[in-house]
Amino acid sequence: MSSVKSVWSVKYGGRIVRKADVFHDYAQYGLPDGDLDMHYNFWVIRTNDGKIILQDTGYDIPKKDWLGEISETPTPEGLALIGVDPAEVAMVLCSHFHYDHIGYLGLFTNAQVVAGQREWDYWIGKLEANQLEGEFSTADDLAAVIAAKEDGRLRLVAEETEVAPGITVYPIGGHCPGELLTRIETASGGLILAIDAAHFYEQVEHEWPFFAFTDLHEMQDGLAFINRLARETGATVIPGHDARTRDRYPAVEGPAGAIATVLA
Ligand SMILES: [Zn+2]
C-alpha cells in the first residue's frame, strides 16, 4: 500500500496569458497564437500516518501584483477552507524560490523545509550581492527560507532524494538553478508534480520550453527527463500552472471544491 493517502491541487489565483508570451520562441512552431488559462496553485499531500506535506505555498497577490494575477483565495483562506492548520504542516517542499511559490512559507513555523542546494546558493548569492532588483523573488520572500535555516528546519538537497516515504524530489534546474520536481507514489499509479519545470500540458507533450529560464538547455533536458521518468515509473505528469488540470480531475467534495482538486 502506498504511504500517501491523497494529493490535492489548491488554486489561489489566476490570469489569462498568450501562448506567444509564455512559450519560448513560439513563432518557430508556425502555430496560431491563443489564450491559455493560467492557474496559480499549491499542493497538499496527506500521508497514511496523518502527516500533512505542502508542495509550495502560494503568495499574497494583493500585496504585490507582479504580472496582473487575479487573487481568488489567498493561501491562509485556502488552507482554512480545506481544513489545514499551518501549525500542523510537517513538511514544505519548495520547488524553487520564486515569489509565487514561497510567498507564504513563513506561516509554516513547525515544518521541515526542503529545497534545492543550488536554489539556496543562487538566491542567497543574489541577496548578499544586492542583486534582487527586477527578480521574481524579494528579500521578504527569502527571509522565510533563512528563518527555516536558522531554526535548523531547512533541508537542502543536491541529488535525487526520497524526502518522505513515497515522495522523491529531483533537482532539475532550467527555470531556476535549483528547481525541484516531485514524484509521489500513490495507489492510482503515481504523480509527477512538474511545478515550473513544465507550466502547461503543451510543454510536456511537445517538450516546449517556457520563456522564463536561467538555463535553456537545462530546461530542455528537464522536459525530456520528465517524460522519461513518467514512462519509467508509470506516473502521470501534472504541470504547475495549467487550468485544464481542474477539468481532468474531480473537485474535492463540499465548499473546498471551489479551489481544491483531487489528483490522487
Ligand atoms: Zn510558478
Side-chain angles (χ1 to χ4, degrees):
M1 196 173 84
S2 158
S3 25
V4 170
K5 185 174 163 198
S6 68
V7 183
W8 292 2
S9 169
V10 181
K11 181 193 179 196
Y12 67 87
R15 70 185 169 111
I16 304 292
V17 296
R18 297 291 285 171
K19 292 183 184 184
D21 290 335
V22 295
F23 296 138
H24 171 67
D25 194 13
Y26 183 66
Q28 70 181 300
Y29 308 125
L31 295 169
D33 200 3
D35 284 346
L36 280 172
D37 194 356
M38 183 166 179
H39 282 185
Y40 286 70
N41 307 298
F42 61 89
W43 295 264
V44 180
I45 305 160
R46 288 185 174 84
T47 67
N48 280 320
D49 58 0
K51 285 205 182 67
I52 299 173
I53 298 174
L54 286 202
Q55 170 72 62
D56 297 339
T57 57
Y59 89 106
D60 188 347
I61 296 176
K63 197 169 114 190
K64 183 168 176 156
D65 179 357
W66 292 67
L67 299 167
E69 294 95 343
I70 296 165
S71 176
E72 290 166 8
T73 313
T75 298
E77 284 174 37
L79 291 171
L81 196 55
I82 63 171
V84 170
D85 174 355
E88 288 173 4
V89 171
M91 185 184 285
V92 177
L93 309 175
C94 297
S95 63
H96 62 304
F97 291 168
H98 279 175
Y99 67 97
D100 56 321
H101 294 263
I102 60 165
Y104 277 107
L105 184 61
L107 285 180
F108 306 97
T109 48
N110 297 322
Q112 184 185 42
V113 174
V114 175
Q117 176 70 53
R118 285 181 68 200
E119 197 66 0
W120 169 269
D121 294 346
Y122 178 75
W123 288 106
I124 299 305
K126 279 193 174 284
L127 175 69
E128 286 173 351
N130 205 11
Q131 287 174 350
L132 289 175
E133 186 72 36
E135 287 286 356
F136 287 136
S137 195
T138 64
D140 260 8
D141 295 327
L142 296 171
V145 184
I146 294 166
K149 171 124 176 142
E150 285 169 354
D151 288 354
R153 294 184 289 110
L154 181 65
R155 179 177 185 187
L156 295 173
V157 297
E159 57 190 2
E160 175 185 334
T161 305
E162 189 173 22
V163 292
I167 303 174
T168 304
V169 297
Y170 302 81
I172 191 165
H175 178 63
C176 269
E179 179 90 24
L180 298 179
L181 274 188
T182 300
R183 182 170 67 88
I184 308 167
E185 293 165 39
T186 67
S188 47
L191 296 166
I192 294 169
L193 300 182
I195 328 286
D196 286 8
H199 290 61
F200 293 102
Y201 284 104
E202 283 92 336
Q203 292 181 259
V204 181
E205 285 154 20
H206 309 294
E207 300 186 0
W208 286 348
F210 194 67
F211 80 96
F213 49 77
T214 51
D215 186 319
L216 179 57
H217 289 292
E218 236 177 40
M219 179 174 276
Q220 288 164 329
D221 289 349
L223 289 162
F225 176 77
I226 289 170
N227 282 325
R228 201 162 59 239
L229 187 64
R231 269 196 310 275
E232 285 171 4
T233 62
T236 303
V237 182
I238 307 293
H241 286 270
D242 200 315
R244 287 164 287 192
T245 298
R246 277 182 59 80
D247 303 329
R248 296 182 183 198
Y249 291 87
V252 168
E253 281 180 32
I259 56 166
T261 307
V262 182
L263 303 179

